[in-house]
Amino acid sequence: MRVLVVEDELRLAENVARSLRESAGYAVDIAADGQEGLFLAESNPYDVVLLDLMLPKLDGMELLGRIRQSGQHTPVLVLTARDDKESVVALLNAGADDYLTKPFDLGELLARTKALIRRGKGQPSPVVVIGDLELNTVNRTVQRGGKAITLTAMEYRVLEYLVHRPRAVVSKTELLEHLYDYNWEKFSNVIEVYISGLRRKLNQGSSRQLIRTLRGQGYMLQD
Ligand code: CA
């Protein structure tokens, strides 16, 4: 999963980004002003956007309006300061999905971010079940047929993305764009390695292949 953080307080933005990377395994891009935020939001497929309101160049409310006018459904969590003039009602009416008042607890931010990503992908439960595969997004564990499977951090991230797009053809580019930050093109050769590692681990003790390769198109997770 890939998150955009639009926040001009650099220290806060970096704390949030570190927490998302380390505790959730998400890729994170940071924009330090509203214009950069809008540019990134329009040019990349984020799974969620964390948006400060008081921003240089283009304020958060304006940015939110522009994203929604362009028809983007990406969930947006607004970070509000106590003295922000916008009311919660105005925020929600402008297309925000949730909000959090500063100063906030990073654990709460993480939980709300995960919940928004899940809902954005039509998977409200934190435990995703596909056939005999079970993926727990809270403690990042995987089981197949009731048996725990140990994955590397990147294998888990690939599988987490695929289980949120079940029975869909997911191209290598889509995976790269959602698993890495703006540097994603540098990693284009590694996806096959993670997929083959995942296949080997998921198939222990089971003959049914969960991840199909569609030549020239991508991958499909199905039970
Ligand atoms: Ca600010």
Side-chain angles (χ1 to χ4, degrees):
M1 303 296 171
R2 182 172 171 195
V3 183
L4 173 62
V5 177
V6 190
E7 169 63 75
D8 59 322
E9 291 168 55
L10 203 57
R11 188 175 293 180
L12 176 63
E14 281 171 354
N15 279 339
V16 166
R18 189 181 321 118
S19 169
L20 293 168
R21 289 183 185 120
E22 290 175 2
S23 308
Y26 296 158
V28 184
D29 292 320
I30 296 175
D33 65 61
Q35 263 174 20
E36 191 189 1
L38 181 63
F39 171 75
L40 289 175
E42 285 179 337
S43 45
N44 298 291
Y46 292 104
D47 298 295
V48 69
V49 176
L50 309 187
L51 178 64
D52 180 34
L53 280 187
M54 295 264 279
L55 291 165
K57 296 186 185 171
L58 182 72
D59 74 35
M61 202 65 170
E62 179 75 24
L63 201 168
L64 178 60
R66 302 270 283 272
I67 294 178
R68 289 299 181 243
Q69 274 161 26
S70 72
Q72 266 201 46
H73 300 297
T74 311
V76 175
L77 170 64
V78 173
L79 309 173
T80 69
R82 214 171 287 278
D83 52 355
D84 279 331
K85 58 187 188 308
E86 278 88 0
S87 70
V88 170
V89 174
L91 280 175
L92 296 174
N93 283 342
D97 299 275
D98 197 3
Y99 73 98
L100 205 51
T101 308
K102 294 178 187 176
F104 48 78
D105 173 63
L106 280 175
E108 183 175 356
L109 177 78
L110 205 63
R112 286 180 186 270
T113 302
K114 284 187 173 186
L116 281 183
I117 291 176
R118 288 198 304 266
R119 271 188 268 144
K121 303 201 177 298
Q123 295 270 16
S125 167
V127 180
V128 185
V129 178
I130 293 172
D132 59 357
L133 178 74
E134 192 178 299
L135 183 137
N136 185 319
T137 59
V138 175
N139 50 25
R140 292 196 278 167
T141 54
V142 175
Q143 289 187 358
R144 187 167 186 200
K147 208 170 138 233
I149 294 171
T150 308
L151 301 178
T152 66
M154 272 313 296
E155 286 166 352
Y156 173 83
R157 292 178 57 199
V158 172
L159 186 63
E160 182 184 57
Y161 189 79
L162 289 176
V163 300
H164 286 88
R165 302 266 284 118
R167 289 170 291 281
V169 180
V170 177
S171 70
K172 200 168 88 170
T173 303
E174 180 177 342
L175 274 176
L176 286 162
E177 284 182 330
H178 286 268
L179 298 177
Y180 293 98
D181 58 21
Y182 66 93
N183 277 315
W184 65 268
E185 278 169 285
K186 284 200 298 195
F187 300 94
S188 55
N189 292 323
V190 298
I191 293 293
E192 285 95 345
V193 179
Y194 297 132
I195 292 281
S196 75
L198 265 177
R199 278 222 179 91
R200 185 169 44 76
K201 291 178 180 177
L202 291 176
N203 278 0
Q204 281 168 13
S206 176
S207 56
R208 272 187 307 123
Q209 194 69 255
L210 283 172
I211 302 172
R212 277 180 61 197
T213 300
L214 294 106
R215 200 170 274 281
Q217 296 179 66
Y219 307 100
M220 187 196 279
L221 185 88
Q222 56 176 23
D223 51 10

